[in-house]
Amino acid sequence: MELSDCSNEYEKLVVRMNMPRVVIDNGVCPNSTVVKIDSARSPGILLESVQLLTDMNLWIRKAYISSDGKWNMDVFHVSDLNGNKLTDENLIRYIEKSIETSHYCKSEGYTGLTALELTGTDRVGLLSEVFAVLADLQCDIVEAKAWTHNGRIASMIYVRDGNSGTAIDEDSDRVQRIEGQLRNLLKADDGYQNDTRTCVTYGGNTHMERRLHQRMFMDRDYEKKFDSETSPVVSVQNLVKRGYSVVNLQCKDRMKLLFDVVCTLTDMAYIVFHAAIRTVGETAFLEFYVRHSDGNPVNSEPERQRLIQCLQAAVERRTVKGVRLELCTTDRPGLLAEVTRVLRENGLNIARAKISTKEGIARNVFYVTDANGNLIDPEIIKSIREKIGIDDLSVKEPFPLSCREAVVKEQQKEEQQDHQARIGGGAVLVSLGSLVMRNLYQLGLIKSYF
């Protein structure tokens, strides 16, 4: 055997030794499935696991995370959207295989498409104008997501040539025209021209929602002051003896909450060593023991304030705003431009959007408000449905009522069980410090706790 062959076999052995080990157990908890993941510590491994679970529309109800030396030991309590355990054996095997091989990639379906990343000042009708420009330039929108927050908008749009059905050549004059027209649309009233990016993907691995977080972060959407009555409560304190910064976050529980928080910590170059996540009623309590990638805790007041603001923004970006409208109809050229034009002409602002086209069927979701961010008059919604098509456009609840009822019912039981473990003293934010370490110790994930 040649030296190069030995080297390859050794590399394969190292990979196999460091592959995550996954155990999925339905017998531990009466109302949720427990997913246990043991893996070698590496950058982004926690985010990958959380991302995989949330992309499958699994609700992470509770979690314990620990990094002991060079090894991660994570435990997630998950349920489906209706608050039930996972019973589909095919889904369970897929979760195990995806985590163990680390080959999970949500963006595999974007092969051969052109990706447009947009960031700018939000205004009523902006998305309608963007979709109209793309329709005029004969670009078919295959998938897209758009978020708005603090007067800013970030969007990621996958398009293809409307005639050939293939990606648009990155070096063509057409790409320059698309980029130029979109940049003009995103130009703020004060003349500031925001960054617009265009790239061609061939099996790229960009995760859309993580990229939206990154775009918003780069656009500094977190700098605007939050409403103290509705903003997430975040505190950052240093645990000097252990060299950690302890980040506590309290807010209303929702889907993908943990993903949004871990995504932001990762993008800000903070490493999570220990964490505990739990819910009481409809409120989520998250506690993280972190260090910066340079090995130091938060070491200045400006850094602490910036971390607090960024975490508040991460939670707020996905907070449900306005009325949820769902469009399901046969796709056709200019459909999005036509539908969003009707919304714009009725003075509605799109606070968030999710666009998807598969097998000739368009399935689009819009969260809409009036121009001032308030709820919409039901008569206006009725008029819009009549114009677009009552059978095509429907008004939906943000989350199934059955899910909320099931979650609240179980969490009320957990609240009584966890009452003695909670720290009182009239603190605004519940500290989970001792509870984190105690649970990790009982699970055998750490040798001692402080």
Side-chain angles (χ1 to χ4, degrees):
M1 182 180 293
E2 296 182 359
L3 182 61
S4 60
D5 294 332
C6 293
S7 177
N8 291 335
E9 290 301 318
Y10 176 75
E11 290 176 359
K12 291 178 182 179
L13 175 62
V14 172
V15 170
R16 287 196 295 268
M17 289 176 61
N18 292 327
M19 284 176 58
R21 297 173 179 83
V22 184
V23 176
I24 298 180
D25 193 341
N26 267 324
V28 175
C29 184
N31 297 299
S32 62
T33 298
V34 177
V35 180
K36 301 177 183 178
I37 305 174
D38 295 343
S39 61
R41 185 153 62 95
S42 62
I45 186 67
L46 172 61
L47 178 57
E48 289 179 9
S49 299
V50 174
Q51 176 180 306
L52 184 148
L53 295 174
T54 54
D55 282 349
M56 292 182 182
N57 288 325
L58 301 180
W59 196 326
I60 299 177
R61 303 279 313 286
K62 185 186 297 184
Y64 304 106
I65 296 161
S66 178
S67 177
D68 189 2
K70 296 184 178 182
W71 199 256
N72 285 340
M73 292 164 282
D74 306 328
V75 180
F76 302 97
H77 292 241
V78 302
S79 63
D80 62 18
L81 285 176
N82 294 317
N84 300 320
K85 289 183 177 184
L86 310 183
T87 56
D88 187 339
E89 291 297 329
N90 291 329
L91 174 61
I92 292 175
R93 283 194 296 269
Y94 178 72
I95 294 173
E96 291 175 341
K97 182 179 178 181
S98 298
I99 297 177
E100 288 175 349
T101 58
S102 300
H103 290 162
Y104 176 76
C105 182
K106 182 68 174 178
S107 58
E108 289 179 352
Y110 305 147
T111 301
L113 301 177
T114 301
L116 307 175
E117 296 182 2
L118 313 175
T119 307
T121 302
D122 187 31
R123 66 175 185 275
V124 175
L126 176 59
L127 269 183
S128 174
E129 295 174 22
V130 169
F131 294 150
V133 165
L134 294 177
D136 290 341
L137 294 171
Q138 297 184 327
C139 297
D140 285 346
I141 299 173
V142 178
E143 190 152 351
K145 287 185 180 180
W147 291 354
T148 63
H149 181 247
N150 280 346
R152 312 299 296 170
I153 184 171
S155 179
M156 192 166 185
I157 307 172
Y158 282 94
V159 300
R160 64 189 173 199
D161 185 281
N163 297 319
S164 65
T166 60
I168 302 169
D169 186 0
E170 186 178 12
D171 298 324
S172 67
D173 293 337
R174 187 176 174 193
V175 167
Q176 301 300 320
R177 291 198 304 272
I178 294 172
E179 192 173 5
Q181 292 192 37
L182 292 178
R183 185 178 287 112
N184 289 333
L185 286 179
L186 296 169
K187 189 183 297 182
D189 295 336
D190 59 4
Y192 173 74
Q193 191 160 310
N194 297 280
D195 179 43
T196 302
R197 297 183 181 180
T198 305
C199 63
V200 178
T201 62
Y202 291 95
N205 58 359
T206 302
H207 186 271
M208 290 183 73
E209 295 184 345
R210 183 177 182 189
R211 188 59 182 155
L212 288 176
H213 274 302
Q214 292 173 332
R215 295 293 295 179
M216 284 287 198
F217 174 72
M218 289 187 290
D219 201 40
R220 305 175 76 90
D221 72 314
Y222 55 84
E223 290 185 338
K224 185 176 179 180
K225 291 184 178 180
F226 295 83
D227 183 354
S228 59
E229 295 183 358
T230 60
S231 298
V233 181
V234 182
S235 71
V236 179
Q237 297 176 335
N238 282 353
L239 192 62
V240 179
K241 292 183 178 180
R242 296 288 180 174
Y244 294 120
S245 289
V246 184
V247 179
N248 282 280
L249 187 149
Q250 175 183 331
C251 64
K252 185 175 181 180
D253 190 31
R254 60 165 173 77
M255 284 287 296
K256 299 191 177 183
L257 174 62
L258 182 58
F259 168 79
D260 293 337
V261 174
V262 173
C263 179
T264 299
L265 290 172
T266 302
D267 290 335
M268 294 182 72
Y270 289 101
I271 300 173
V272 177
F273 287 86
H274 304 285
I277 292 87
R278 65 168 183 149
T279 52
V280 179
E282 293 187 347
T283 303
F285 299 91
L286 301 87
E287 182 168 77
F288 302 89
Y289 289 74
V290 304
R291 293 185 186 128
H292 198 267
S293 57
D294 60 10
N296 295 318
V298 175
N299 56 22
S300 69
E301 181 60 23
E303 181 184 357
R304 189 179 75 87
Q305 290 297 329
R306 182 169 177 265
L307 177 56
I308 290 173
Q309 290 178 334
C310 289
L311 290 175
Q312 288 177 324
V315 175
E316 290 289 340
R317 288 171 195 147
R318 206 195 291 269
T319 300
V320 175
K321 307 166 187 172
V323 177
R324 173 174 170 144
L325 302 179
E326 291 189 3
L327 176 70
C328 183
T329 187
T330 303
D331 189 34
R332 63 179 184 274
L335 173 65
L336 274 174
E338 177 185 333
V339 170
T340 53
R341 175 181 57 79
V342 174
L343 299 179
R344 183 190 69 214
E345 290 174 348
N346 283 270
L348 302 189
N349 184 49
I350 300 175
R352 210 169 88 219
K354 179 180 179 182
I355 312 301
S356 179
T357 303
K358 292 182 180 180
E359 299 179 351
I361 302 297
R363 300 182 186 276
N364 306 328
V365 178
F366 305 97
Y367 290 90
V368 296
T369 66
D370 66 12
N372 297 318
N374 301 317
L375 292 178
I376 305 166
D377 186 338
E379 290 300 319
I380 295 179
I381 296 295
K382 181 180 178 182
S383 173
I384 291 173
R385 292 188 65 202
E386 290 174 350
K387 293 178 182 178
I388 296 176
I390 293 179
D391 294 334
D392 296 336
L393 187 67
S394 58
V395 182
K396 298 290 185 179
E397 287 282 348
F399 298 104
L401 283 174
S402 58
C403 176
R404 292 203 300 269
E405 291 170 355
V407 168
V408 171
K409 184 176 180 180
E410 182 187 349
Q411 290 172 348
Q412 286 174 345
K413 294 180 180 179
E414 293 180 351
E415 183 176 0
Q416 290 182 339
Q417 297 173 355
D418 294 339
H419 178 72
Q420 293 182 351
R422 279 181 277 144
I423 297 176
V428 175
L429 188 65
V430 177
S431 172
L432 304 178
S434 60
L435 180 61
V436 176
M437 297 296 109
R438 189 192 68 185
N439 282 311
L440 293 175
Y441 176 73
Q442 291 176 345
L443 288 168
L445 300 183
I446 59 175
K447 298 178 179 178
S448 62
Y449 69 93
F450 48 86

